[in-house]
Amino acid sequence: EVQLVESGGGLVQPGGSLRLSCAASGFTFSSYWMYWVRQAPGKGLEWVSSINSGGSITYYADSVKGRFTISRDNAKNTVYLQMNSLKPEDTAVYYCVRAVAARLDAWGQGTLVTVSS
């Protein structure tokens, strides 16, 4: 069974940092692109970042570029999202997602990030 379990969310003040983790199991993690997708309260899904199977290629939405960093540790079957200089508009549920040929086919349960003073 494919499982993706996010952790690391919480309440942080504007300008602060958080690191999200996503532990994967039930599939060959090192063979897949992984994505982070978020959903702000009352809004639709927004792609945040992607990383290729080996970790050498990364992409970011313009809204997070320069502030967020995606990475992965294939030995630990884990993908990370380091979030710095957080803004209130980064408040959202963050999902870890597996991708197959750019199709998002497995989602975690999400972790809530709240940026507020």
Side-chain angles (χ1 to χ4, degrees):
E1 178 190 5
V2 173
Q3 285 197 317
L4 298 167
V5 180
E6 300 96 335
S7 61
L11 174 64
V12 62
Q13 292 188 340
S17 298
L18 281 176
R19 188 175 84 153
L20 306 183
S21 299
C22 172
S25 61
F27 64 101
T28 305
F29 177 73
S30 59
S31 296
Y32 290 84
W33 280 72
M34 297 298 296
Y35 286 46
W36 286 97
V37 175
R38 68 186 181 185
Q39 186 168 30
K43 298 194 174 182
L45 294 169
E46 177 189 18
W47 166 74
V48 174
S49 184
S50 309
I51 188 167
N52 74 326
S53 57
S56 60
I57 301 172
T58 57
Y59 297 105
Y60 298 93
D62 286 344
S63 58
V64 307
K65 199 172 294 182
R67 300 187 298 121
F68 290 12
T69 303
I70 191 171
S71 62
R72 66 191 296 163
D73 185 338
N74 285 344
K76 295 183 178 180
N77 288 351
T78 302
V79 60
Y80 304 98
L81 187 67
Q82 177 67 44
M83 305 186 295
N84 299 329
S85 302
L86 282 160
K87 305 175 181 180
E89 51 264 43
D90 295 318
T91 294
V93 176
Y94 284 73
Y95 297 96
C96 168
V97 190
R98 186 181 78 169
V100 178
R103 180 173 62 88
L104 306 184
D105 77 332
W107 294 67
Q109 84 288 349
T111 186
L112 176 63
V113 172
T114 303
V115 185
S116 175
S117 54

